[in-house]
């Protein structure tokens, strides 16, 4: 069992930056790839970014490449999402999740153990 706690969300003006953190309980964090997803009101949950267990491989939603950066610190059981040049369309609840199953990094069925989410609001 893994518990995930996201933090770092909040209100930011368009063009600003936020860094989200996701801290995982348990000693097996470094064994798993991790992902970030987001869900805006009235929309389906969407893939944002993912990172392999070692951090050597990353994947991003095409529309977010160049603005968002995922990273991890296995010694701290933490995965981060640095978000720059934020736009109103980036407003959503952001979730981190553990990739426990075979499958694509960008597909939510590949993931288990989801956090409770952190709200990101971007004002125009």
């Amino acid at each position: 069992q893994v518990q995930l706690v996201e933090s770092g969300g909040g209100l930011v003006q368009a063009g600003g930056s936020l860094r989200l953190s996701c801290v995982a309980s348990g000693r097996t964090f470094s064994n798993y790839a991790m992902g970030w997803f987001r869900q805006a009101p009235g929309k389906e949950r969407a893939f944002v970014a993912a990172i392999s267990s070692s951090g050597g491989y990353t994947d991003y939603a095409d529309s977010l490449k160049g603005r968002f950066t995922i990273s991890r610190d296995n010694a701290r059981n933490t995965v981060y999402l640095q978000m720059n040049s934020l736009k109103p369309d980036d407003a959503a609840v952001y979730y981190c999740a553990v990739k426990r199953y075979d499958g694509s990094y960008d597909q939510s069925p590949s993931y288990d153990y989801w956090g409770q989410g952190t709200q990101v609001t971007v004002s125009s």
Side-chain angles (χ1 to χ4, degrees), residues 11-73:
L11 173 64
V12 63
Q13 288 187 334
S17 298
L18 283 174
R19 188 175 82 155
L20 306 183
S21 300
C22 171
V23 180
S25 65
R27 295 181 294 177
T28 60
F29 174 78
S30 60
N31 291 345
Y32 296 107
M34 299 290 295
W36 284 97
F37 290 75
R38 68 186 184 183
Q39 188 166 19
K43 295 186 177 180
E44 294 186 352
R45 188 173 295 182
F47 171 72
V48 173
I51 189 166
S52 64
S53 57
S54 67
Y57 172 80
T58 57
D59 190 18
Y60 295 92
D62 287 342
S63 62
L64 301 177
K65 289 178 181 177
R67 293 196 299 122
F68 287 18
T69 302
I70 190 171
S71 61
R72 67 190 296 161
D73 183 342

